Amino acid sequence: QVQLLESGGGFVQAGGSLKLSCVASETIFNFNGMGWHRQAPGKEREFVATISLGGNIRYSKNMEGRFIISRDNAKNTLHLQMSNLKPEDTAVYYCSANQLSTYYWGQGTQVTVSS
């Protein structure tokens, strides 16, 4: 069973930065893609960013230019560098990985941005 463990969440003031990490229990080359989603209180989970096995990257338009997704292949780790954070970025951030149509999710890490 694939396990994904996120870390790096916390409390930050608006305009600040945070870097999230997600460590996979197996080599990330086993996945067709990895990504980040987030869910704010009372809202549906929304797409943040994804990176394919081949390195193709997509961002939600709301985050493009402020968030950077990257991976460390040697450490089986996915990152999300978040800058110029806004209060509306407050959410639980989830790491995901997929093997074809099968998706795996981490338990999430809370990010809280104060105004």
Side-chain angles (χ1 to χ4, degrees):
Q1 180 71 15
V2 173
Q3 294 185 341
L4 303 170
L5 183 62
E6 301 101 331
S7 63
F11 186 90
V12 65
Q13 291 188 334
S17 300
L18 281 175
K19 185 174 185 178
L20 306 183
S21 298
C22 169
V23 180
S25 59
E26 57 187 72
T27 174
I28 61 177
F29 292 114
N30 285 347
F31 306 124
N32 298 106
M34 298 186 73
W36 293 95
H37 288 68
R38 70 185 187 184
Q39 187 166 18
K43 296 187 177 181
E44 294 185 354
R45 191 171 296 190
E46 66 172 336
F47 168 76
V48 175
T50 188
I51 181 168
S52 72
L53 179 62
N56 292 320
I57 292 174
R58 284 194 305 124
Y59 294 100
S60 167
K61 289 184 178 179
N62 291 336
M63 298 93 179
E64 194 164 13
R66 298 190 298 122
F67 292 5
I68 300 175
I69 188 171
S70 64
R71 66 185 184 207
D72 185 333
N73 297 337
K75 296 182 179 179
N76 298 329
T77 301
L78 182 73
H79 297 292
L80 184 70
Q81 177 68 53
M82 304 185 294
S83 303
N84 191 22
L85 284 162
K86 305 175 182 180
E88 51 264 41
D89 293 319
T90 294
V92 178
Y93 284 71
Y94 296 92
C95 172
S96 68
N98 71 288
Q99 295 173 335
L100 297 178
S101 60
T102 300
Y103 280 80
Y104 304 94
W105 296 90
Q107 83 291 346
T109 185
Q110 176 71 46
V111 171
T112 303
V113 185
S114 67
S115 57

